[in-house]
Amino acid sequence: DGGFCVATEGNACAYEAKTVIVATGAHPKELNIPGEKEFRTKGVSYCTVCDGPIFSGKRTVTIGGGNSALESALMLADIASEVTVINKNAAFKGEASLVEKVTKHSKIKVIYNALTTEILGDGSFAKGLKYADSTGVEHTIEMDGAFIHIGQTPNSQIVPADCQKDSFGYIAIGLDGATSIPGLFAAGDVTHSAHKQIIIAAGQGASAALSAVQYINRL
């Protein structure tokens, strides 16, 4: 009838629906280094907006070289006592205005050509990290919180192959939450929206739900 079949493990068509709203979110890319999983939520974070205020007056490190890492460093500069940015590349890949603010900020120290190799801790909380410089020599930094901002991967594999996505795999939607496939809607971090915040995702979810009802009513 032109609807959708939603598969589950062991069932090729567990649910049938006239419309589907995809709100599967995205997951942060990981460094995949020793200590990262052990100290996640114990000094290792992937969201400065969420967890930055916890580290007021403490030493923080931001790992990354794009806009999210630059924004993280600037946000932490107003919160933490020390801010270090570790960039594996020789230069930042973010917007020029953000790069200028970070590199000129008196409270932010930038380490280039540095590859983070390990998160260190006392078993209960992160206390430092190791990185290798361009010559392979390893260094240790003492810190209280590490913010990893090296990108996200959208959980968009669920949608049909012909559903329009951007170059990073985020689902393209209109203002009403509609995708390129009639009856298929999306909301939240899985979409190509500019900002990934709960309040924005919730609003998109409401919009997508209303649009889905309108779509059904017009059938």
Side-chain angles (χ1 to χ4, degrees):
D1 298 328
F4 299 92
C5 273
V6 180
T8 60
E9 187 175 356
N11 192 332
C13 192
Y15 302 95
E16 294 183 21
K18 296 184 182 297
T19 64
V20 170
I21 300 173
V22 179
T24 47
H27 61 275
K29 293 181 180 178
E30 299 179 356
L31 295 168
N32 294 314
I33 58 174
E36 182 179 7
K37 284 183 170 61
E38 178 184 355
F39 295 108
R40 185 168 185 169
T41 73
K42 299 177 181 178
V44 173
S45 173
Y46 301 85
C47 180
T48 301
V49 174
C50 312
D51 301 325
I54 299 173
F55 296 87
S56 176
K58 298 184 178 182
R59 303 162 298 179
T60 64
V61 174
T62 292
I63 302 165
N67 282 340
S68 61
L70 294 165
E71 291 169 349
S72 167
L74 291 170
M75 189 179 302
L76 290 169
D78 293 330
I79 298 171
S81 61
E82 298 177 18
V83 180
T84 302
V85 180
I86 296 180
N87 185 356
K88 71 175 183 179
N89 300 308
F92 286 111
K93 296 181 178 180
E95 295 178 17
S97 59
L98 293 175
V99 173
E100 183 178 9
K101 287 179 180 179
V102 166
T103 53
K104 290 185 177 181
H105 202 293
S106 60
K107 202 174 178 180
I108 300 174
K109 176 184 178 182
V110 180
I111 303 175
Y112 297 98
N113 295 310
L115 191 65
T116 308
T117 57
E118 184 177 0
I119 304 294
L120 307 172
D122 60 5
S124 60
F125 214 82
K127 295 296 182 182
L129 62 77
K130 290 183 180 180
Y131 73 89
D133 62 25
S134 58
T135 65
V137 175
E138 204 164 54
H139 305 263
T140 300
I141 296 177
E142 292 183 355
M143 58 85 186
D144 302 297
F147 293 85
I148 301 171
H149 287 280
I150 57 174
Q152 286 190 321
T153 301
N155 303 319
S156 58
Q157 300 83 358
I158 189 175
V159 301
D162 56 344
C163 180
Q164 184 180 348
K165 303 175 186 176
D166 67 12
S167 58
F168 298 101
Y170 291 96
I171 301 172
I173 60 170
L175 294 176
D176 57 355
T179 71
S180 59
I181 297 177
L184 183 64
F185 300 84
D189 289 5
V190 74
T191 71
H192 69 339
S193 56
H195 303 290
K196 312 299 183 185
Q197 293 295 314
I198 292 174
I199 191 171
I200 295 173
Q204 288 183 334
S207 178
L210 292 170
S211 298
V213 171
Q214 290 178 345
Y215 176 85
I216 292 174
N217 289 337
R218 292 181 182 133
L219 289 177

